[in-house]
Amino acid sequence: MTTTTTHPGGVPLVATGTSTAVPTRSSVAPLLGWPGPNSGRAAQRADVVAYQATTVQACGLFPFTAGSGSPSAGVPFGRHMTWGEVVCCDPFAWMDAGLTTNRGVFLLGQPGTGKSSAGKRICRGLMAFGAVPLFLGDAKPDYTAVVRSAGGQVIRIGRGLDRINPLDAGPLGAALARLSGPAADRLRLEVRGRRLTATLALCSLVRTDAPMTNSEETVIGAAVDLLADRLPAGTEPTVPDVLAVIREGHGRLVSAAEVDSPDEYRAETRRLRQTLRMLCEGSLKGVFDGPTTQPIDLTAPAVSIDISAVTSAGDTLLSAAMLSTWSYGFAVIDASTALADAGLAPPRRYVAVLDELWRALRGAPGLVDHADALTRVYRGRDVAHMMMTHSLDDLAALPTEADRAKARGFIDRCAITVLAGLPMRELDEVSRIVPLSDAEKQLVASWSSPETWQPGARHPGRGKYLLKTGQRIGIPVELEYVADEAQTYETDRRTVWTPDDATAAVASPRGATGLVDGTGWPR
């Protein structure tokens, strides 16, 4: 039996009813399909990606679907830009799974590319897993809305606002009152060291012509010890208290100065007394010269220390505010750890967020050492820290070459590096620390293209990141806002503080077309 049909091009095809019939050349569609309407003809043939693999590997891919093998443990971060699958980024889950060696995260990206949105997505997800984010030194502020949405605590530092006593043991003091024996002795030494370090850091900020001397450090240490003995339990010393004790010239301080007479002591400590007086009556007056007005709540789900009120007062006050909040925030972690070790409180995980890192470190030579000590101490604990900056050039602006070398080590010691849009020149510098292939550099550089002149257009790099860990190939991820993130994460606005400490966000002109575009990507 013979049947006659036509193909979509209208040409008749002849076929027999037997199974041995061989199709003629005209029965096979040409390369671009049959011509004519509704025939599926393509104007050109698209290139396809070719892969090579051994038969052992290829058989496992049948029916030849491929994925990136991206980490799926922890906080969902975004979607893989090639495969579309969900990619997670979680310093705790990754270290628990053996993917990283520490819980450090370093975020690097140009302004406006979504750097802070990436940090907020990770921190908000970590809150769902029980971790407590500490936003220490929020200079814009960027994180107040995130903390308030979680019912957390917001502390505002500035003249006429909240005040932090740099010598305040904070939660460490409360923990010390509940401990005894060797644990209390260790914590007491930790409190003493923190008070000494904080005082020296503030003195270094206001004394710009010479570093603090060893003699001055020993005198401050003796003054701190004397105040600890004199003051009743629960009373924290202040910078004016330290100045008063040094002026008094107690025998313990004279001995610490290694001089033989009160007159020699006064001559030896004259410069130190002038420096401490500047902390009380100079540009920092009203911020660090009295008791802490609002202690950090150890039970809060998140804490933000807002220092935006001091950003216009100069680098000295801003650096002092950042360093003091860092020290005070890490005291929270120490207190929580001590109580958990003693069985007096449940163990908690913390993630300390240090944004605008370079602005604190450039205040005076040697401040890098204080930040370096803080981040190194917590590598072995159940604590993650997240550092953010716009460019490695920010760290290159530090006062001395020694400070710049130590600051470059921050990114090297972070197991997770998140790169947003950066120019090629910047990526060449980053590749000296974090291994980047040429393809990875080209990809990240393509995200740093300048915004188009078209009003309302989205920057090509916003919401796009490259996740790097160790020697592994980077994972390109795109972050999409969900639920209330578009409003909560928005930073292109100013925040108005009302007398009752409520916030009312006033959208900037850039927000006239909406916080997100039609795809929901960060703008």
Side-chain angles (χ1 to χ4, degrees), residues 383-463:
V383 177
H385 66 268
M386 186 181 300
M387 298 182 177
M388 303 182 187
T389 192
H390 298 306
S391 167
L392 292 184
D393 288 342
D394 295 336
L395 302 180
L398 299 181
T400 66
E401 179 57 37
D403 287 346
R404 290 189 286 271
K406 292 175 183 176
R408 283 191 289 269
F410 287 154
I411 186 172
D412 190 29
R413 292 197 306 275
C414 290
I416 304 173
T417 304
V418 182
L419 300 177
L422 292 167
M424 186 60 71
R425 173 186 56 81
E426 180 75 20
L427 291 168
D428 289 337
E429 291 294 324
V430 174
S431 62
R432 298 180 181 179
I433 306 172
V434 179
L436 295 173
S437 66
D438 291 339
E440 290 172 334
K441 289 194 287 186
Q442 290 290 344
L443 177 64
V444 177
S446 69
W447 301 336
S448 66
S449 303
E451 295 188 18
T452 177
W453 289 103
Q454 184 68 29
R458 181 170 63 90
H459 190 287
R462 289 197 176 184

Side-chain angles (χ1 to χ4, degrees), residues 224-250:
V224 168
D225 293 338
L226 185 59
L227 287 170
D229 295 339
R230 285 182 175 180
L231 295 176
T235 303
E236 304 289 345
T238 63
V239 173
D241 292 335
V242 174
L243 176 58
V245 167
I246 292 177
R247 282 174 173 169
E248 176 187 328
H250 190 276

Side-chain angles (χ1 to χ4, degrees), residues 212-382:
M212 299 294 291
T213 66
N214 293 338
S215 175
E216 290 172 332
E217 181 175 349
T218 57
V219 170
I220 293 176
V224 168
D225 293 338
L226 185 59
L227 287 170
D229 295 339
R230 285 182 175 180
L231 295 176
T235 303
E236 304 289 345
T238 63
V239 173
D241 292 335
V242 174
L243 176 58
V245 167
I246 292 177
R247 282 174 173 169
E248 176 187 328
H250 190 276
R252 290 170 60 176
L253 276 68
V254 174
S255 176
E258 294 293 340
V259 293
D260 299 325
S261 67
D263 291 338
E264 290 179 313
Y265 168 79
R266 291 193 61 80
E268 181 72 18
T269 60
R270 179 175 179 271
R271 187 72 187 280
L272 175 59
R273 286 182 277 116
Q274 291 175 335
T275 301
L276 290 171
R277 185 167 182 175
M278 287 183 64
L279 293 176
C280 301
E281 301 180 11
S283 60
L284 305 186
K285 183 177 181 179
V287 183
F288 306 106
D289 54 354
T292 300
T293 56
Q294 186 178 169
I296 289 180
D297 182 7
L298 276 178
T299 63
V303 177
S304 173
I305 303 183
D306 175 8
I307 60 172
S308 59
V310 305
T311 54
S312 61
D315 288 341
T316 298
L317 182 55
L318 182 64
S319 297
M322 281 191 168
L323 289 171
S324 296
T325 56
W326 291 357
S327 179
Y328 194 66
F330 280 107
V332 172
I333 299 173
D334 282 335
S336 179
T337 302
L339 292 175
D341 291 343
L344 300 176
R348 307 190 76 182
R349 282 182 162 180
Y350 292 90
V351 52
V353 180
L354 311 180
D355 201 353
E356 300 287 350
L357 175 67
W358 60 276
R359 299 186 68 178
L361 302 182
R362 72 180 184 180
L367 293 183
V368 176
D369 292 329
H370 299 291
D372 183 57
L374 287 173
T375 56
R376 281 181 182 270
V377 165
Y378 296 94
R379 289 183 63 187
R381 302 188 185 182
D382 209 13

